[in-house]
Amino acid sequence: AKKQKHNLVQRSVSEFTSRNLTEEDLEHIIAINGSRIEDIYDLGAGQKWMLENSMEGSSAFFLQFLFKAVMPLKPSQFRQKLEEVSIKRDNIRSAYPHKGLTQAYRVVLQDRMVELTFEDLSDFDEEALDEKLNSLMAADRRRGFDLERDVLLRVAVYKTRGEDTYAILISQPHINTDGLSLMLLIKDLFGDLNSDMKGLEQEIDSLSYKKYAEYLDSRDKEAEAGYWKELLKDMPSCTRIPGVIESTLKPAISSKEF
């Protein structure tokens, strides 16, 4: 307890990007993560909504990506590559403490190892392999994520039949990533899969989440909410997406909830 208090003296709320961080919340966050905190952010509106609807990251807000590839892959080199990427992409080092706090935060840690597993499935034929992979994916989804304490990126590499053939499963909670972030992660890990991504990545890397968080904080949220309420006031509660069979539609959110 004395050590935690000493760490708290060395860290002030003014060091962090969050404008709503209190001394009490900082003390609680340090108690969970120690003093290895790089920055603390308030959650964006979408992150707040996802957290409220999926506290354990085990619903539709759980992202999985499975692909099969033919490539030379050495476990030690791949683990080192993952460590390099986690240094580059701070979302990989994030946690989302929310219990016992005045509000939820995104906490970026100075270091955090990605969970990486290897398994040999080379004895499975193609049909049995697909069944096994489906079973592994389902088990991984059931496991979910503890957003406060778990590493929020899991990578599983499965050796399959044939020389240099693998199935790779990547799992993350949606609150911590999006489609573009996933593409950049795959590019970081496996090289230039698409040359068209190069310019986009350079543009993204010239920015920072800190600048984005500061931009969000500068916005007049009440005025923006008023704009969207006025714009959407006459919308039906459920709007059909072109090409989607009407019987499959399930109202997820009403325009009145905006």
Side-chain angles (χ1 to χ4, degrees), residues 49-77:
W49 183 76
M50 282 188 277
L51 183 63
E52 290 169 359
N53 286 273
S54 182
M55 297 298 283
E56 296 300 323
S58 58
S59 70
F61 304 114
F62 185 104
L63 300 183
Q64 272 187 332
F65 182 74
L66 176 72
F67 65 97
K68 299 178 182 179
V70 178
M71 59 184 176
L73 190 153
K74 295 182 179 179
S76 60
Q77 291 180 349

Side-chain angles (χ1 to χ4, degrees), residues 64-255:
Q64 272 187 332
F65 182 74
L66 176 72
F67 65 97
K68 299 178 182 179
V70 178
M71 59 184 176
L73 190 153
K74 295 182 179 179
S76 60
Q77 291 180 349
F78 188 63
R79 185 176 297 278
Q80 181 179 353
K81 186 67 175 178
L82 265 176
E83 292 175 6
E84 293 172 358
V85 172
S86 70
I87 293 172
K88 180 180 181 182
R89 307 288 181 194
D90 64 3
N91 67 306
I92 296 175
R93 293 179 276 111
S94 294
Y96 292 82
H98 52 273
K99 298 174 184 175
L101 300 170
T102 59
Q103 66 169 56
Y105 298 92
R106 176 191 171 210
V107 176
V108 178
L109 304 175
Q110 293 172 351
D111 59 88
R112 196 172 218 195
M113 297 290 291
V114 174
E115 182 178 319
L116 175 63
T117 59
F118 290 90
E119 187 172 348
D120 189 349
L121 302 180
S122 56
D123 290 339
F124 288 79
D125 60 29
E126 186 172 350
E127 182 177 351
L129 174 64
D130 287 341
E131 292 181 2
K132 178 65 174 178
L133 290 174
N134 286 333
S135 174
L136 290 167
M137 291 177 69
D140 187 53
R141 290 186 69 88
R142 288 193 299 271
R143 177 182 171 188
F145 286 98
D146 181 330
L147 298 176
E148 289 193 301
R149 299 182 181 275
D150 283 354
V151 171
L152 300 185
L153 171 63
R154 295 199 292 259
V155 180
V157 179
Y158 303 107
K159 180 68 182 72
T160 60
R161 283 191 171 186
E163 185 177 358
D164 292 336
T165 59
Y166 298 89
I168 298 172
L169 176 64
I170 298 175
S171 301
Q172 294 178 286
H174 193 6
I175 192 174
N176 199 47
T177 192
D178 57 19
L180 179 57
S181 299
L182 180 59
M183 286 192 290
L184 291 175
L185 172 66
I186 293 171
K187 183 179 185 298
D188 286 339
L189 291 176
F190 302 106
D192 295 325
L193 299 181
N194 186 340
S195 59
D196 292 337
M197 288 288 292
K198 187 174 182 180
L200 179 59
E201 182 180 15
Q202 289 174 346
E203 180 179 347
I204 290 172
D205 286 345
S206 68
L207 304 174
S208 69
Y209 188 86
K210 182 180 179 70
K211 292 180 181 178
Y212 174 63
E214 290 173 343
Y215 164 79
L216 289 180
D217 191 64
S218 70
R219 307 297 294 172
D220 186 334
K221 297 178 178 58
E222 289 188 7
E224 291 189 345
Y227 168 82
W228 286 107
K229 286 179 180 178
E230 178 66 23
L231 185 68
L232 301 175
K233 67 180 181 180
D234 296 324
M235 279 190 64
S237 60
C238 186
T239 301
R240 188 168 65 88
I241 300 174
V244 176
I245 299 175
E246 191 165 353
S247 62
T248 66
L249 289 175
K250 295 181 180 179
I253 183 169
S254 168
S255 58

